[in-house]
Amino acid sequence: QPILAEAMRRQVKNSKLNESIEQLKTSDQKAGLDVDVTSQYFTILLVKESLELNKQSLDRNIRSLKDSRSLLRLGKSLKIDTLSNYIAVENLRTTISYLETQYNIALLELKRTIGIPGSKSLAFTDSLTIDDQRYSASVGDIDEQSLANRPDIRQQKISVELSKNQISQNRSLRLPTLYLVGQYQLQAQADDLKLDSYNWPTPSFVGLQANIPIFSGMRTNAKVKQSIIQYQRSELLLAEANERAKTEVIS
């Protein structure tokens, strides 16, 4: 039973920090899934709206093409006008075909993300409206406190704490350790299985065991240097995560 073992105590703390990191990874994945579903949903609405607008534009250009052909037959229009209208119609048909493909692909991606069969149909009832004033206010309110609640930021902060604790754990390898040791035994030896007739000696002892590190081949120093570098790297990753989070919110 360890009585004084600082490295083991730090190791227990590291395990708890790792558990917190894994829980935050799960929260981050859930938040990322929310973002993916929302983004794909509004992408479908955007493609659907663009498709409707291009179809309306195609109808107008088809009417313009018919009018220009009629005027050309009457000698009141130029061939270049009819050709321009024809090119516009064909371009719009190509755009509509492309948008229809993009719509079907985006629909399949959304179904895959939310985990429903591709054969099921979805009805989209929302509209593409943006409250500019609310959006500007939300972007302007970005502060350190709001960013600190993001799972990825919290996860990186715990990683910094974990790296710092790892330094202490490696340094504590230089400290002595003290253990409480004890043993109690029942033992006997015979050539038969007459257990009730056995003589059972009961040897036992209790004591303390101290380990004092003297030389480890510079291994402890190397571990401390390595953990310091890892701690510096974790701080840089935290700063990068904060900047990336600000950019994501603004985007």
Side-chain angles (χ1 to χ4, degrees):
Q1 176 67 37
I3 298 176
L4 178 62
E6 183 62 20
M8 296 179 65
R9 190 177 70 84
R10 292 287 178 176
Q11 188 175 1
V12 171
K13 184 177 181 181
N14 283 351
S15 300
K16 293 180 179 179
L17 291 174
N18 280 319
E19 181 182 4
S20 299
I21 289 176
E22 293 302 322
Q23 291 174 351
L24 287 173
K25 283 182 179 180
T26 302
S27 300
D28 192 25
Q29 289 180 348
K30 291 180 179 179
L33 183 61
D34 290 340
V35 173
D36 290 341
V37 171
T38 305
S39 177
Q40 292 173 13
Y41 188 87
F42 281 107
T43 297
I44 290 176
L45 292 181
L46 179 62
V47 173
K48 186 178 180 181
E49 187 72 17
S50 300
L51 191 57
E52 293 299 324
L53 292 174
N54 277 276
K55 286 181 178 180
Q56 295 175 10
S57 181
L58 177 62
D59 293 337
R60 291 193 300 270
N61 280 271
I62 289 177
R63 290 195 296 268
S64 297
L65 178 59
K66 290 180 180 178
D67 294 340
S68 62
R69 284 174 173 172
S70 299
L71 293 174
L72 180 62
R73 285 193 293 268
L74 296 176
K76 296 182 179 181
S77 177
L78 299 175
K79 289 184 178 180
I80 188 64
D81 296 331
T82 303
L83 180 60
S84 297
N85 289 328
Y86 175 78
I87 292 174
V89 168
E90 294 303 316
N91 284 339
L92 283 169
R93 284 175 175 167
T94 303
T95 301
I96 290 173
S97 176
Y98 171 77
L99 289 174
E100 287 176 343
T101 302
Q102 291 299 110
Y103 178 80
N104 291 329
I105 292 175
L107 192 59
L108 288 174
E109 284 291 333
L110 178 61
K111 291 178 180 179
R112 180 188 62 81
T113 302
I114 61 180
I116 66 173
S119 58
K120 285 192 175 182
S121 60
L122 296 176
F124 300 92
T125 58
D126 289 344
S127 60
L128 286 171
T129 58
I130 299 178
D131 188 345
D132 293 332
Q133 184 176 1
R134 184 182 63 179
Y135 169 76
S136 301
S138 63
V139 173
D141 288 340
I142 300 176
D143 54 15
E144 296 299 329
Q145 184 62 32
S146 60
L147 292 179
N149 293 326
R150 287 173 52 119
D152 54 343
I153 301 296
R154 292 166 57 197
Q155 175 184 334
Q156 195 56 49
K157 284 183 176 180
I158 295 179
S159 296
V160 172
E161 184 180 355
L162 178 63
S163 300
K164 188 176 181 179
N165 192 71
Q166 188 67 42
I167 298 175
S168 301
Q169 179 182 346
N170 289 330
R171 284 176 175 169
S172 63
L173 295 175
R174 300 167 178 162
L175 302 176
T177 57
L178 183 65
Y179 294 89
L180 174 66
V181 294
Q183 181 176 332
Y184 180 82
Q185 284 185 327
L186 292 175
Q187 60 183 7
Q189 182 176 350
D191 294 330
D192 53 42
L193 296 178
K194 297 178 180 180
L195 303 181
D196 55 345
S197 62
Y198 285 0
N199 183 23
W200 296 90
T202 58
S204 62
F205 71 88
V206 176
L208 295 175
Q209 177 181 339
N211 297 323
I212 302 176
I214 298 176
F215 181 69
S216 62
M218 307 303 293
R219 181 178 60 183
T220 301
N221 291 339
K223 285 186 174 182
V224 171
K225 291 180 181 179
Q226 184 180 13
S227 57
I228 290 175
I229 294 174
Q230 182 63 34
Y231 173 68
Q232 294 171 346
R233 178 178 179 271
S234 298
E235 286 190 318
L236 291 174
L237 290 176
L238 175 59
E240 180 188 7
N242 278 303
E243 292 301 322
R244 184 172 62 249
K246 293 178 182 178
T247 303
E248 288 178 359
V249 173
I250 294 174
S251 298

